[in-house]
Amino acid sequence: MARKILFASLALWLILVSDPSAQRAKIRLTSQLSETAPAHAFDHGNERRRPFYHQMAADTLPRRRLELAYSLQLSMPGTPVIRYGDEIGMGEDLSLPERESIRTPMQWTDTAHAGFSTAKPAVPIVSGGRYGYEQVNVMAQRRDPHSLLNWFERVLHTRRECEEIGIGDHEVIDVGVPEVLVHRASGRYGSVLFAHNLSSRPCRISVPPQPGEEHRPLTLVSDDGYDNDDVDLHSLDLRGYGYRWLRLTSTPADVEYPQEQQARGSVETGA
């Protein structure tokens, strides 16, 4: 299962980096991952962008791919790592040497020095253009309910409410569509189904019978454009680069962790 998820994650990463907007670290890693992908294919000068985060929220298609990437990351077991500035789609200055390009000061406001300090920062602040602090900053996104920052806050809050992601058992579900990754995280009190469409083409999938599906699935997180009041797992729509988190209600008796089985077996053996 872990290998399938790893390959799906790498496939999504390669889809995202296919848009020319890489930084030096990404170029090196891409060359290591695939000998058929030359490093220069991703090098477009000193474009100021975060790794594979191509455009700002106003650009619909790249924003959808960005949400898909983070939705997939946040639905996986383990601890997700988000670098400062990613939550607002902050850019980077590739004219700076080595790692300095992604260590530009955090862009808090559109005031002097991006609100980072009253003194001039040692590392230049990204200014001007699409990714400059005048356009991309925390204060502006706080005021926008549809901003990337507010999207992050909603999804992270939902993730914290889903203990199945962190401590449950994850299983990949085959739905017969190569471009779609569906997996389920099951815990003591229920399970959550995740569906991610890595293709730009919309599709409809049929999910095999799942424990708890006799209850109406509850939409926790999704991109736009679905009827979330009437979710049918046997005819589930996904937009291009679409994603859906669906809670499947079940009782504690429906799911038992392997460690709980082991503990129960030890008690029975000891008795």
Side-chain angles (χ1 to χ4, degrees), residues 168-204:
D169 297 319
H170 289 248
E171 176 186 357
V172 173
I173 300 170
D174 185 8
V175 294
V177 182
E179 300 84 4
V180 175
L181 172 66
V182 176
H183 72 286
R184 187 183 72 244
S186 301
R188 292 170 293 182
Y189 304 111
S191 61
V192 181
L193 187 80
F194 307 94
H196 293 87
N197 182 9
L198 307 184
S199 169
S200 60
R201 297 182 297 274
C203 65
R204 177 171 294 173

Short mmCIF file of all heavy atoms in Angstrom, two decimals, residues 168-204:
data_model
loop_
_atom_site.label_atom_id
_atom_site.label_comp_id
_atom_site.label_asym_id
_atom_site.label_seq_id
_atom_site.Cartn_x
_atom_site.Cartn_y
_atom_site.Cartn_z
N GLY A 168 -4.81 5.83 12.02
CA GLY A 168 -5.61 4.74 11.46
C GLY A 168 -4.83 3.89 10.48
O GLY A 168 -3.64 4.10 10.24
N ASP A 169 -5.51 2.91 9.92
CA ASP A 169 -4.93 2.02 8.91
C ASP A 169 -5.36 2.52 7.52
O ASP A 169 -6.54 2.72 7.26
CB ASP A 169 -5.42 0.59 9.11
CG ASP A 169 -4.97 0.02 10.44
OD1 ASP A 169 -3.81 0.28 10.81
OD2 ASP A 169 -5.77 -0.65 11.12
N HIS A 170 -4.38 2.69 6.63
CA HIS A 170 -4.65 3.21 5.29
C HIS A 170 -4.66 2.08 4.28
O HIS A 170 -3.80 1.20 4.32
CB HIS A 170 -3.60 4.26 4.90
CG HIS A 170 -3.74 5.55 5.65
ND1 HIS A 170 -4.13 6.74 5.05
CD2 HIS A 170 -3.54 5.84 6.97
CE1 HIS A 170 -4.16 7.70 5.96
NE2 HIS A 170 -3.80 7.18 7.13
N GLU A 171 -5.60 2.15 3.36
CA GLU A 171 -5.73 1.12 2.32
C GLU A 171 -6.06 1.77 0.99
O GLU A 171 -6.98 2.59 0.90
CB GLU A 171 -6.82 0.12 2.70
CG GLU A 171 -7.08 -0.94 1.64
CD GLU A 171 -8.27 -1.82 1.97
OE1 GLU A 171 -8.86 -1.64 3.05
OE2 GLU A 171 -8.62 -2.69 1.13
N VAL A 172 -5.31 1.42 -0.06
CA VAL A 172 -5.60 1.92 -1.40
C VAL A 172 -6.73 1.09 -2.00
O VAL A 172 -6.75 -0.14 -1.89
CB VAL A 172 -4.35 1.83 -2.29
CG1 VAL A 172 -4.69 2.19 -3.73
CG2 VAL A 172 -3.27 2.76 -1.77
N ILE A 173 -7.67 1.76 -2.65
CA ILE A 173 -8.84 1.10 -3.24
C ILE A 173 -8.77 1.24 -4.76
O ILE A 173 -8.65 2.35 -5.28
CB ILE A 173 -10.14 1.73 -2.72
CG1 ILE A 173 -10.22 1.58 -1.19
CG2 ILE A 173 -11.36 1.10 -3.38
CD1 ILE A 173 -11.34 2.38 -0.57
N ASP A 174 -8.84 0.13 -5.45
CA ASP A 174 -8.77 0.13 -6.91
C ASP A 174 -10.15 0.44 -7.48
O ASP A 174 -11.12 -0.28 -7.24
CB ASP A 174 -8.29 -1.24 -7.40
CG ASP A 174 -8.08 -1.27 -8.91
OD1 ASP A 174 -8.18 -0.20 -9.55
OD2 ASP A 174 -7.83 -2.37 -9.45
N VAL A 175 -10.22 1.54 -8.26
CA VAL A 175 -11.49 1.91 -8.89
C VAL A 175 -11.42 1.77 -10.41
O VAL A 175 -12.34 2.16 -11.10
CB VAL A 175 -11.88 3.36 -8.51
CG1 VAL A 175 -12.18 3.46 -7.02
CG2 VAL A 175 -10.79 4.36 -8.91
N GLY A 176 -10.31 1.22 -10.90
CA GLY A 176 -10.20 0.95 -12.33
C GLY A 176 -9.87 2.15 -13.19
O GLY A 176 -9.90 2.05 -14.42
N VAL A 177 -9.55 3.28 -12.58
CA VAL A 177 -9.18 4.48 -13.33
C VAL A 177 -7.75 4.84 -12.94
O VAL A 177 -7.53 5.28 -11.80
CB VAL A 177 -10.13 5.65 -13.03
CG1 VAL A 177 -9.74 6.88 -13.87
CG2 VAL A 177 -11.57 5.25 -13.31
N PRO A 178 -6.78 4.65 -13.83
CA PRO A 178 -5.37 4.84 -13.45
C PRO A 178 -5.05 6.24 -12.94
O PRO A 178 -4.15 6.39 -12.11
CB PRO A 178 -4.62 4.55 -14.77
CG PRO A 178 -5.55 3.73 -15.59
CD PRO A 178 -6.93 4.20 -15.22
N GLU A 179 -5.76 7.24 -13.42
CA GLU A 179 -5.45 8.62 -13.03
C GLU A 179 -6.01 9.00 -11.66
O GLU A 179 -5.70 10.08 -11.15
CB GLU A 179 -6.00 9.61 -14.07
CG GLU A 179 -5.44 9.44 -15.47
CD GLU A 179 -6.18 8.37 -16.26
OE1 GLU A 179 -7.17 7.83 -15.73
OE2 GLU A 179 -5.76 8.07 -17.40
N VAL A 180 -6.82 8.13 -11.08
CA VAL A 180 -7.48 8.47 -9.81
C VAL A 180 -6.93 7.61 -8.68
O VAL A 180 -6.84 6.38 -8.81
CB VAL A 180 -9.00 8.26 -9.92
CG1 VAL A 180 -9.68 8.49 -8.57
CG2 VAL A 180 -9.59 9.20 -10.97
N LEU A 181 -6.52 8.27 -7.60
CA LEU A 181 -6.10 7.57 -6.40
C LEU A 181 -7.21 7.66 -5.37
O LEU A 181 -7.62 8.75 -4.98
CB LEU A 181 -4.82 8.18 -5.83
CG LEU A 181 -4.38 7.64 -4.46
CD1 LEU A 181 -3.99 6.17 -4.55
CD2 LEU A 181 -3.23 8.46 -3.88
N VAL A 182 -7.68 6.51 -4.94
CA VAL A 182 -8.69 6.44 -3.88
C VAL A 182 -8.10 5.62 -2.74
O VAL A 182 -7.59 4.52 -2.96
CB VAL A 182 -10.00 5.79 -4.37
CG1 VAL A 182 -11.00 5.65 -3.22
CG2 VAL A 182 -10.62 6.62 -5.50
N HIS A 183 -8.13 6.15 -1.54
CA HIS A 183 -7.69 5.38 -0.39
C HIS A 183 -8.58 5.68 0.81
O HIS A 183 -9.25 6.72 0.86
CB HIS A 183 -6.21 5.62 -0.07
CG HIS A 183 -5.89 6.95 0.53
ND1 HIS A 183 -5.89 8.12 -0.19
CD2 HIS A 183 -5.56 7.30 1.81
CE1 HIS A 183 -5.55 9.13 0.59
NE2 HIS A 183 -5.37 8.67 1.81
N ARG A 184 -8.59 4.74 1.75
CA ARG A 184 -9.44 4.87 2.93
C ARG A 184 -8.58 4.77 4.18
O ARG A 184 -7.69 3.93 4.28
CB ARG A 184 -10.50 3.77 2.95
CG ARG A 184 -11.53 3.94 4.08
CD ARG A 184 -12.52 2.80 4.14
NE ARG A 184 -11.91 1.58 4.65
CZ ARG A 184 -11.78 0.46 3.93
NH1 ARG A 184 -12.23 0.43 2.68
NH2 ARG A 184 -11.21 -0.60 4.45
N ALA A 185 -8.84 5.66 5.12
CA ALA A 185 -8.18 5.62 6.43
C ALA A 185 -9.23 5.20 7.45
O ALA A 185 -10.26 5.86 7.60
CB ALA A 185 -7.59 6.98 6.79
N SER A 186 -8.98 4.09 8.15
CA SER A 186 -9.95 3.54 9.09
C SER A 186 -9.41 3.64 10.50
O SER A 186 -8.25 3.31 10.76
CB SER A 186 -10.25 2.08 8.75
OG SER A 186 -10.77 1.97 7.44
N GLY A 187 -10.27 4.07 11.42
CA GLY A 187 -9.88 4.20 12.81
C GLY A 187 -10.89 3.55 13.75
O GLY A 187 -11.75 2.78 13.32
N ARG A 188 -10.79 3.88 15.02
CA ARG A 188 -11.62 3.24 16.03
C ARG A 188 -13.09 3.60 15.90
O ARG A 188 -13.97 2.81 16.26
CB ARG A 188 -11.12 3.63 17.42
CG ARG A 188 -9.77 3.06 17.77
CD ARG A 188 -9.23 3.68 19.04
NE ARG A 188 -8.93 5.10 18.85
CZ ARG A 188 -8.41 5.87 19.81
NH1 ARG A 188 -8.15 5.36 21.01
NH2 ARG A 188 -8.15 7.14 19.57
N TYR A 189 -13.38 4.80 15.41
CA TYR A 189 -14.76 5.28 15.41
C TYR A 189 -15.31 5.54 14.02
O TYR A 189 -16.37 6.12 13.88
CB TYR A 189 -14.86 6.55 16.26
CG TYR A 189 -14.35 6.34 17.66
CD1 TYR A 189 -13.18 6.95 18.08
CD2 TYR A 189 -15.04 5.52 18.55
CE1 TYR A 189 -12.71 6.75 19.37
CE2 TYR A 189 -14.58 5.31 19.83
CZ TYR A 189 -13.40 5.93 20.24
OH TYR A 189 -12.94 5.72 21.51
N GLY A 190 -14.60 5.14 13.00
CA GLY A 190 -15.10 5.37 11.65
C GLY A 190 -14.00 5.32 10.62
O GLY A 190 -12.88 4.89 10.91
N SER A 191 -14.30 5.77 9.44
CA SER A 191 -13.32 5.80 8.37
C SER A 191 -13.61 6.97 7.44
O SER A 191 -14.74 7.47 7.37
CB SER A 191 -13.32 4.48 7.58
OG SER A 191 -14.59 4.27 6.99
N VAL A 192 -12.56 7.40 6.75
CA VAL A 192 -12.67 8.51 5.81
C VAL A 192 -12.13 8.04 4.47
O VAL A 192 -11.07 7.41 4.39
CB VAL A 192 -11.88 9.74 6.29
CG1 VAL A 192 -12.04 10.89 5.29
CG2 VAL A 192 -12.35 10.17 7.67
N LEU A 193 -12.88 8.32 3.41
CA LEU A 193 -12.50 7.95 2.05
C LEU A 193 -11.94 9.19 1.35
O LEU A 193 -12.53 10.27 1.42
CB LEU A 193 -13.71 7.41 1.29
CG LEU A 193 -13.42 6.83 -0.10
CD1 LEU A 193 -12.88 5.41 0.04
CD2 LEU A 193 -14.70 6.82 -0.94
N PHE A 194 -10.82 9.03 0.66
CA PHE A 194 -10.19 10.13 -0.06
C PHE A 194 -10.10 9.77 -1.55
O PHE A 194 -9.67 8.67 -1.90
CB PHE A 194 -8.78 10.40 0.47
CG PHE A 194 -8.71 10.60 1.95
CD1 PHE A 194 -8.44 9.54 2.80
CD2 PHE A 194 -8.93 11.85 2.51
CE1 PHE A 194 -8.39 9.72 4.18
CE2 PHE A 194 -8.87 12.05 3.88
CZ PHE A 194 -8.60 10.97 4.71
N ALA A 195 -10.49 10.69 -2.41
CA ALA A 195 -10.41 10.49 -3.85
C ALA A 195 -9.69 11.68 -4.47
O ALA A 195 -10.06 12.84 -4.22
CB ALA A 195 -11.81 10.33 -4.46
N HIS A 196 -8.66 11.41 -5.27
CA HIS A 196 -7.87 12.46 -5.92
C HIS A 196 -7.70 12.14 -7.40
O HIS A 196 -7.23 11.05 -7.75
CB HIS A 196 -6.49 12.58 -5.27
CG HIS A 196 -6.53 13.09 -3.86
ND1 HIS A 196 -6.70 12.24 -2.78
CD2 HIS A 196 -6.45 14.35 -3.35
CE1 HIS A 196 -6.70 12.96 -1.66
NE2 HIS A 196 -6.56 14.24 -1.98
N ASN A 197 -8.10 13.06 -8.24
CA ASN A 197 -7.97 12.91 -9.68
C ASN A 197 -6.71 13.63 -10.15
O ASN A 197 -6.65 14.86 -10.15
CB ASN A 197 -9.21 13.48 -10.38
CG ASN A 197 -9.16 13.29 -11.88
OD1 ASN A 197 -8.29 12.59 -12.41
ND2 ASN A 197 -10.08 13.93 -12.59
N LEU A 198 -5.69 12.87 -10.56
CA LEU A 198 -4.43 13.45 -10.97
C LEU A 198 -4.44 13.94 -12.42
O LEU A 198 -3.44 14.46 -12.90
CB LEU A 198 -3.29 12.43 -10.80
CG LEU A 198 -3.16 11.78 -9.42
CD1 LEU A 198 -1.95 10.87 -9.37
CD2 LEU A 198 -3.09 12.84 -8.33
N SER A 199 -5.57 13.78 -13.09
CA SER A 199 -5.69 14.18 -14.49
C SER A 199 -6.45 15.49 -14.61
O SER A 199 -7.22 15.88 -13.72
CB SER A 199 -6.41 13.08 -15.28
OG SER A 199 -6.77 13.53 -16.57
N SER A 200 -6.24 16.16 -15.72
CA SER A 200 -6.99 17.40 -15.99
C SER A 200 -8.39 17.11 -16.50
O SER A 200 -9.22 18.02 -16.62
CB SER A 200 -6.24 18.25 -17.02
OG SER A 200 -6.10 17.54 -18.24
N ARG A 201 -8.68 15.85 -16.80
CA ARG A 201 -9.99 15.47 -17.35
C ARG A 201 -10.94 15.05 -16.23
O ARG A 201 -10.57 14.24 -15.36
CB ARG A 201 -9.84 14.31 -18.34
CG ARG A 201 -9.02 14.65 -19.57
CD ARG A 201 -8.95 13.47 -20.52
NE ARG A 201 -8.29 12.34 -19.90
CZ ARG A 201 -6.97 12.15 -19.89
NH1 ARG A 201 -6.18 13.04 -20.47
NH2 ARG A 201 -6.44 11.08 -19.32
N PRO A 202 -12.16 15.55 -16.23
CA PRO A 202 -13.15 15.10 -15.23
C PRO A 202 -13.51 13.65 -15.47
O PRO A 202 -13.39 13.13 -16.59
CB PRO A 202 -14.34 16.03 -15.47
CG PRO A 202 -14.19 16.49 -16.88
CD PRO A 202 -12.71 16.56 -17.16
N CYS A 203 -13.95 12.97 -14.43
CA CYS A 203 -14.30 11.56 -14.58
C CYS A 203 -15.35 11.18 -13.54
O CYS A 203 -15.63 11.94 -12.60
CB CYS A 203 -13.06 10.67 -14.43
SG CYS A 203 -12.32 10.73 -12.79
N ARG A 204 -15.92 10.02 -13.73
CA ARG A 204 -16.87 9.46 -12.78
C ARG A 204 -16.36 8.07 -12.40
O ARG A 204 -16.09 7.25 -13.27
CB ARG A 204 -18.27 9.39 -13.36
CG ARG A 204 -19.31 8.75 -12.46
CD ARG A 204 -20.71 8.93 -13.03
NE ARG A 204 -21.10 10.33 -13.04
CZ ARG A 204 -22.21 10.79 -13.61
NH1 ARG A 204 -23.02 9.95 -14.23
NH2 ARG A 204 -22.51 12.07 -13.58
#
